[in-house]
Amino acid sequence: SCVHPDRPEPLDLHLGMFLPTLLNQATPEQMERFFTPAWNLRIIGTYAQTEMGHGTHLRGLETTATFDPSTQEFVLHSPTISSIKWWPGGLGKTSNHAIVLAQLHTQGRCHGLHAFIVPIRDMDTHVPLPGVVVGDIGPKFGFSEVDNGFLKLEHVRIPLDNMLMKFAKVEPDGTYVKPPSAKLTYGMVFIRSMIVGQSALALAKSCTIAIRYSAVRHQSELRPGEPEPQILNYQTQQHKLFPVLAAAYAFTFVGQYMKDTYRRISGDIHAGDYSQLPELHALSAGLKAFTTWAANAAIEVCRMSCGGHGYSRSSALPDIYVEFTPTCTYEGENTVMMLQTASRYLVKSYRQASVGQRLQGSVSYLSEAAAQRLRPRPVSGGAAPLSTQDLLSLVHLYQRRAASLVELAAKSIQQELQRGRSQEEAWNHSSIDLVRASDAHCHFVVVKLFVDKLEQVDDAAVKAVLSTLALLYALKGLADNSGDFLQAGLLTVPQATRVSARIKELLEELRPDAVALVDAFDLNDRKLNSVLGRYDGNVYEHLYEWARQSPLNATEVHESFHKYLKPLRSRL
Ligand SMILES: CC/C=C\C/C=C\C/C=C\C/C=C\C/C=C\C/C=C\CCCCC(=O)SCCNC(=O)CCNC(=O)[C@H](O)C(C)(C)COP(=O)(O)OP(=O)(O)OC[C@H]1O[C@@H](n2cnc3c(N)ncnc32)[C@H](O)[C@@H]1OP(=O)(O)O
Ligand SMILES: Cc1cc2nc3c(=O)[nH]c(=O)nc-3n(C[C@H](O)[C@H](O)[C@H](O)COP(=O)(O)OP(=O)(O)OC[C@H]3O[C@@H](n4cnc5c(N)ncnc54)[C@H](O)[C@@H]3O)c2cc1C
């Protein structure tokens, strides 16, 4: 961004969704007609899917695109108030085109949601085109730099060739040609995959600010009569911040893995191999939800760990939170994404494994668990010995927790069905278990990827400190979710006590390297935009300077004195 890197901006949707959707769903002719001018910002587009009445339920979207063979055009229309497109970024005042998702009607039949390129403003005057009512949806929690907008289409006509036809097609006579796979028209997997990396960045920025500030902030007394200690020396401060630091590293590695997986599988899809699309959808949906929920909470932990100055915009933490928190909602509301991963992937895989199918990819452990279930259980039945030092055994523990919760969810559905509930009701009455299963699956994936990454680290010292971070991430997750592990018989109370003790040791071990570990993110002062997180640690002087620059301090006596206080005083 020209103003400040990482701040949301009106062109985000153009760059992050309009261009990628063209890349994924446009024909070569459409690429020529639209991508080139869009790349040169002659065309500025947005991705208009969500409506006032529907965001999650895509099949419920009401906007229609009706093919008129007599004119070789589609008629785009918003039939109801709830069908008005609502939320698309850059739609209100910036974009002159929109990729509109609409229910395709041709030859009297509805063929579901498809993507259409709709010009919405004159390319020269920027005035809305005939039949187009467009504007900004008004102030929001944040994202004030982005003109999220509304779009009401009143029988707007576009050429046949404005339907993105790389997969599905409409012939000039109105014949509908199905796509090779209905799933190809969903999209959104790209941005969900990218958001995992955004979670890592938000965590890295937040813990850099909080840990650097905690190293320069001195407060209270640890030993009577001695100078006030760095607040980073308090165990509670370490307990707040070091697990966030560990998660920042974990999600950085997961973000890289997600990007690589997206690139690999989308390459296969472009080559006509759709076999990995379910894994990509499940992984991107689940990890998007898992990492954004975790990062969202962690940013607030970092802000509050900075005391009053954390609440000042000078810290940058309020802005990081306000800009990050909608990731839990957009690109697939998190609960819904977790349900997708569970219902469309984990339970299906569990059932396949239960009949002996060998599973591949991130769910291969379900085959191992199914085989385990067929073997006689050990007489002791108790939890296996727990090593609070051995990362591979912890990965296995997370794997078994995930398998246990997937089985619990699958069995819950079975029990609901046996009670006579319908399929839909049985699934709905098991959805808490389904979300837990997805959460546990994603948690296992994150721990496993973190540990796998260590195998690629050659430098012994770096490997040692990253191993300590990985241990802390795994043990803190175990402590936070001890109920799951206890319920699955994977942990005993004495072992849980040992985990808590080990976490305290790890905090102490990490203390000397904490500042170096955040410096390693290499986030310069301009990118952090935080007085508290300055690389030189010179906080107080710059905090005072920052306040002095506040617009309110432009005059010694603010006009409010003369306009309000003085008249009020004279009336009392
Ligand atoms: C050239 C490029 C240049 C530069 C760009 C590069 C980088 C850009 C980077 C940065 C740019 C700057 C910033 C980033 C940009 C943007 C970010 C900023 C702002 C945020 C924008 C936010 C935009 C939005 O929010 S868009 C709207 C999002 N909405 C949703 O996600 C809707 C959620 N709902 C759903 O997805 C569906 O309703 C549902 C999946 C929940 C249910 O659908 P449905 O009922 O139809 O399906 P099911 O019956 O459940 O499943 C049917 C089968 O389909 C499979 N399925 C479902 N979804 C998908 C999918 N997405 N992909 C693949 N497969 C899918 C499902 O598994 C079922 O399969 P089965 O085999 O039949 O079981
Ligand atoms: C900052 C921001 C930018 C956005 N940008 C865009 C954009 O550029 N383009 C675009 O098209 N959209 C955009 N959106 C819209 C966004 O994609 C939707 O808000 C999102 O998909 C959630 O849908 P919804 O708002 O209808 O929420 P709802 O689906 O109504 O969610 C409300 C509640 O219902 C629950 N719920 C819904 N369905 C189910 C279910 N099946 N099972 C269990 N619980 C369920 C949810 O978990 C949630 O708790 C943006 C939104 C925001 C906040």
Side-chain angles (χ1 to χ4, degrees):
S1 307
C2 50
V3 178
H4 184 269
D6 298 333
R7 297 300 298 269
E9 61 174 41
L11 289 180
D12 276 353
L13 260 292
H14 178 74
L15 293 172
M17 294 199 76
F18 188 82
L19 289 173
T21 303
L22 289 179
L23 279 173
N24 288 330
Q25 304 204 25
T27 62
E29 180 277 329
Q30 290 170 332
M31 282 294 286
E32 191 54 41
R33 196 153 43 102
F34 294 112
F35 191 84
T36 307
W39 187 256
N40 301 323
L41 295 183
R42 174 106 178 92
I43 285 179
I44 298 177
T46 184
Y47 184 84
Q49 176 174 283
T50 301
E51 295 169 357
M52 191 190 292
H54 293 92
T56 289
H57 188 43
L58 295 185
R59 283 183 282 137
L61 292 172
E62 300 172 83
T63 302
T64 56
T66 307
F67 183 61
D68 178 352
S70 66
T71 63
Q72 294 292 288
E73 293 171 318
F74 288 102
V75 181
L76 272 290
H77 187 57
S78 308
T80 60
I81 180 84
S82 56
S83 70
I84 294 173
K85 291 298 179 184
W86 204 272
W87 275 110
L91 173 62
K93 297 296 174 186
T94 305
S95 301
N96 54 29
H97 282 70
I99 289 176
V100 175
L101 280 295
Q103 303 294 351
L104 166 62
H105 292 259
T106 178
Q107 294 179 338
R109 283 191 57 206
C110 177
H111 295 278
L113 217 53
H114 289 73
F116 301 84
I117 298 184
V118 182
I120 56 175
R121 288 177 181 273
D122 181 283
M123 293 287 277
D124 299 316
T125 66
H126 213 58
V127 171
L129 294 172
V132 172
V133 182
V134 63
D136 184 84
I137 63 171
K140 307 174 289 280
F141 187 98
F143 261 58
S144 52
E145 303 87 343
V146 178
D147 50 318
N148 298 85
F150 64 80
L151 173 65
K152 186 171 184 294
L153 296 165
E154 294 166 345
H155 306 289
V156 174
R157 287 180 171 268
I158 61 173
L160 165 63
D161 294 344
N162 274 37
M163 171 180 155
L164 292 182
M165 293 204 205
K166 183 171 186 176
F167 300 118
K169 291 179 178 36
V170 171
E171 305 287 1
D173 68 355
T175 305
Y176 176 70
V177 178
K178 282 185 178 175
S181 161
K183 302 170 188 177
L184 290 166
T185 53
Y186 278 104
M188 292 171 284
V189 171
F190 168 70
I191 283 293
R192 288 175 189 157
S193 303
M194 297 303 120
I195 288 174
V196 177
Q198 297 294 314
S199 300
L201 179 59
L203 279 184
K205 288 162 79 173
S206 302
C207 69
T208 296
I209 294 165
I211 286 174
R212 281 181 179 166
Y213 178 65
S214 298
V216 297
R217 178 72 168 181
H218 292 253
Q219 198 70 203
S220 309
E221 266 193 346
L222 248 177
R223 294 174 198 81
E226 287 197 6
E228 293 183 80
Q230 295 161 293
I231 56 177
L232 197 55
N233 292 343
Y234 290 114
Q235 187 188 59
T236 48
Q237 193 78 354
Q238 295 168 9
H239 193 243
K240 291 173 192 172
L241 296 178
F242 293 175
V244 178
L245 175 61
Y249 275 89
F251 290 4
T252 298
F253 301 143
V254 174
Q256 287 164 352
Y257 174 82
M258 197 63 245
K259 266 186 190 161
D260 295 345
T261 303
Y262 173 81
R263 210 171 281 128
R264 174 174 57 82
I265 296 179
S266 57
D268 294 344
I269 289 167
H270 284 297
D273 172 4
Y274 310 120
S275 60
Q276 291 288 298
L277 185 52
E279 164 95 5
L280 181 60
H281 166 49
L283 211 52
S284 58
L287 287 177
K288 178 266 184 190
F290 182 85
T291 61
T292 55
W293 261 336
N296 190 61
I299 296 166
E300 272 294 82
V301 167
C302 290
R303 178 184 66 78
M304 287 185 263
S305 75
C306 294
H309 299 329
Y311 191 71
S312 162
R313 298 272 306 267
S314 66
S315 74
L317 288 163
D319 289 53
I320 291 171
Y321 181 80
V322 159
E323 286 152 25
F324 185 82
T325 193
T327 59
C328 297
T329 304
Y330 65 55
E331 278 309 331
E333 198 280 331
N334 279 1
T335 303
V336 174
M337 291 298 99
M338 283 291 191
L339 289 169
Q340 267 293 300
T341 299
S343 59
R344 297 297 176 198
Y345 200 58
L346 297 178
V347 171
K348 190 184 291 185
S349 301
Y350 169 84
R351 288 171 174 170
Q352 290 164 346
S354 298
V355 295
Q357 199 168 327
R358 289 300 303 163
L359 299 170
Q360 305 298 322
S362 63
V363 287
S364 54
Y365 66 90
L366 292 176
S367 294
E368 193 181 316
Q372 185 76 34
R373 280 197 296 279
L374 298 175
R375 292 188 207 112
R377 288 183 184 272
V379 172
S380 66
L386 171 77
S387 161
T388 57
Q389 187 59 38
D390 174 22
L391 281 165
L392 288 177
S393 71
L394 289 169
V395 171
H396 197 232
L397 212 54
Y398 273 84
Q399 173 182 303
R400 291 177 64 195
R401 169 212 180 197
S404 166
L405 287 173
V406 171
E407 181 180 29
L408 188 147
K411 284 185 172 174
S412 168
I413 294 164
Q414 207 50 41
Q415 286 150 13
E416 294 296 339
L417 288 170
Q418 280 155 4
R419 284 190 192 140
R421 289 196 199 271
S422 69
Q423 277 288 344
E424 294 73 19
E425 278 306 308
W427 283 85
N428 185 39
H429 282 79
S430 303
S431 44
I432 296 169
D433 301 324
L434 288 164
V435 170
R436 276 178 73 195
S438 275
D439 184 71
H441 171 75
C442 293
H443 209 162
F444 155 66
V445 169
V446 171
V447 172
K448 182 177 186 310
L449 289 174
F450 198 166
V451 175
D452 288 352
K453 191 72 180 183
L454 298 177
E455 293 315 304
Q456 301 169 26
V457 179
D458 298 325
D459 182 292
V462 171
K463 186 166 185 172
V465 74
L466 286 178
S467 299
T468 306
L469 282 172
L471 262 180
L472 178 62
Y473 182 78
L475 292 174
K476 182 70 167 53
L478 207 162
D480 291 347
N481 299 281
S482 54
D484 288 351
F485 292 90
L486 289 163
Q487 192 178 349
L490 298 170
L491 186 72
T492 64
V493 171
Q495 288 173 336
T497 305
R498 277 179 43 221
V499 166
S500 300
R502 186 76 183 103
I503 287 171
K504 291 177 185 175
E505 292 167 3
L506 293 170
L507 296 178
E508 216 168 341
E509 282 177 39
L510 281 166
R511 172 63 186 87
D513 294 320
V515 174
L517 282 164
V518 296
D519 289 350
F521 290 129
D522 197 20
L523 296 165
N524 62 44
D525 285 350
R526 183 171 177 277
K527 195 169 180 71
L528 275 183
N529 193 32
S530 168
V531 171
L532 304 194
R534 290 177 60 87
Y535 183 74
D536 65 10
N538 191 3
V539 170
Y540 291 158
E541 283 73 9
H542 286 89
L543 188 58
Y544 182 61
E545 194 46 43
W546 185 87
R548 299 269 304 167
Q549 300 301 318
S550 168
L552 268 179
N553 296 323
T555 57
E556 280 306 327
V557 177
H558 192 263
E559 60 173 9
S560 56
F561 172 75
H562 301 290
K563 277 175 79 173
Y564 306 109
L565 288 177
K566 209 168 173 181
L568 179 67
R569 191 192 283 171
S570 64
R571 287 203 300 274
L572 296 175

